Amino acid sequence: MPFALVLLGLVVFAQGTSEFMLSGLVPDIARDLGVSVPAAGALTSAFAAGMVLGAPLAAGLARRWPRREALLAFLVVFLAVHVAGALTGSFEVLLVTRAVGAFANAGFLAVALVTAVGMVPPDAKGRATSLLLGGVTLACVAGVPAGAVLGELWGWRAAFWAVALVSLPALVAVARSVPGGSAGDAPPALRGELRSLRSPRLVVTLLLGALVNGATFCTFTYLAPVVTEVTGLGSGWVPGVLALFGAGSCAGVTVAGRVADRHPGPVLAGGGVALCAGWCLTALGAGHPALTLTLVFVQGALSFGVGSTLISQVLYAAPEAPTLAGGFATAAFNVGAAVGPFAGGAAIGAGFGYRSPVWVSAGLVALAGGVAAARTAAARHSRRRQAKRPVDAERR
């Protein structure tokens, strides 16, 4: 794989740390800024909402921008809003900085996805996607737990400062290593790309991605209170539990990246069933530390293995939309990342306890399975009708 692709993965690591690190900081932010835990959890939804809006818009705007300059511009904005977030004492201002930072993150990721798949052969999109998303899993393994440790020692603002500092060398790396040129080589007309995005296969894949990622974020956002309030472990365990989830996600992305290009069906079908069963078992066994710790690793692997495969399938399903496919994939997955924490917070706020987000995750994955089954049945029915038409014509 090209070295520039590895560097893009490292930048995604810094941005993924920012996106995920609130899982270990939500209780601290709630206490410091005088808001409830579900309200603080809305910061994750604000970040996801910024990415939902930013991904397709930024992808469209950056279609003909110089690739390197577009990446640098998005990264500078991302760095600046983290400095502002670390300095503010207002929850409302922090909420705005999360949304703006997410917009910049979405723009960077949309351009980076186009750049990544353009660096590899056409049949290696799954590997390129998994390498880029490896930065996200590295954030779960190292960045998020490190942010939780910083929050435990010096408060949640230290984690925001750390993300800003990590982004500085990333600026230099992108400026020196990413080649210039447009974000897409002679991209198709925008109207043509938008038409190709109406494909039923693509729409269903985007919906599945939103549901699976919603399930992931629904539980991950409230993993800290689950560990401390339900499992009964002390707050000092939170960084380790987050790292365990990240280690699982890293394993899942690595394995999926090797098989997703050739065998996406078994990965999605088998992984989806196991993922739903795993969330149910997590909800039922959350009071048992050993079982919970095991399932945190397993669910991290399944969530990111299935999720990264769905992203690569979006790129395969939209070959006529090379520029916007990555943007819409990012948007769809962050629709889930916005809805998931909101649904989990609503369940907690309704008095169902800290296990309830895990049950919501199970329900979202079950819904994804139902959608996939309905799409498969409809596709089979359509093929049978098409095969029957020539026979009927011959009889006439």
Side-chain angles (χ1 to χ4, degrees), residues 84-108:
L87 293 173
T88 187
S90 166
F91 177 77
E92 289 74 17
V93 172
L94 182 61
L95 195 66
V96 171
T97 64
R98 295 301 289 169
V100 175
F103 187 95
N105 186 3
F108 185 95

Side-chain angles (χ1 to χ4, degrees), residues 36-293:
S36 66
V37 169
L43 292 170
T44 301
S45 295
F47 196 97
M51 291 195 71
V52 169
L53 296 175
L57 179 58
L61 292 175
R63 292 172 76 249
R64 298 184 182 277
W65 288 6
R67 181 187 303 125
R68 182 172 52 234
E69 283 72 9
L71 294 172
L72 288 173
F74 290 131
L75 192 51
V76 166
V77 174
F78 180 82
L79 190 157
V81 296
H82 278 77
V83 172
L87 293 173
T88 187
S90 166
F91 177 77
E92 289 74 17
V93 172
L94 182 61
L95 195 66
V96 171
T97 64
R98 295 301 289 169
V100 175
F103 187 95
N105 186 3
F108 185 95
L109 186 57
V111 176
L113 279 170
V114 176
T115 305
V117 299
M119 292 179 180
V120 299
D123 61 348
K125 293 178 181 179
R127 290 186 63 195
T129 301
S130 67
L131 182 57
L132 196 64
L133 294 181
V136 178
T137 63
L138 182 61
C140 292
V141 173
V144 174
V149 170
L150 289 174
E152 186 78 15
L153 295 176
W154 297 300
W156 63 270
R157 299 176 192 276
F160 278 70
W161 282 115
V163 170
L165 290 175
V166 171
S167 299
L168 284 175
L171 279 170
V172 178
V174 170
R176 292 186 175 182
S177 302
V178 176
S182 63
D185 296 327
L190 181 59
R191 185 174 299 177
E193 289 203 41
L194 289 173
R195 278 198 301 267
S196 70
L197 295 177
R198 300 174 185 172
S199 160
R201 175 190 170 193
L202 176 62
V203 172
V204 170
T205 305
L206 291 172
L207 177 58
L208 294 178
L211 290 171
V212 169
N213 208 43
T216 302
F217 270 80
C218 183
T219 294
F220 191 76
T221 300
Y222 300 102
L223 191 55
V226 169
V227 168
T228 57
E229 301 297 329
V230 180
T231 309
L233 299 174
S235 60
W237 279 82
V238 171
V241 173
L242 294 175
L244 192 60
F245 186 93
S249 67
C250 185
V253 165
T254 301
V255 173
R258 294 179 179 179
V259 299
D261 291 310
R262 295 184 179 180
H263 307 289
V267 173
L268 295 177
V273 171
L275 184 60
C276 183
W279 286 132
C280 292
L281 188 57
T282 302
L284 291 171
H288 303 279
L291 180 60
T292 299
L293 294 176

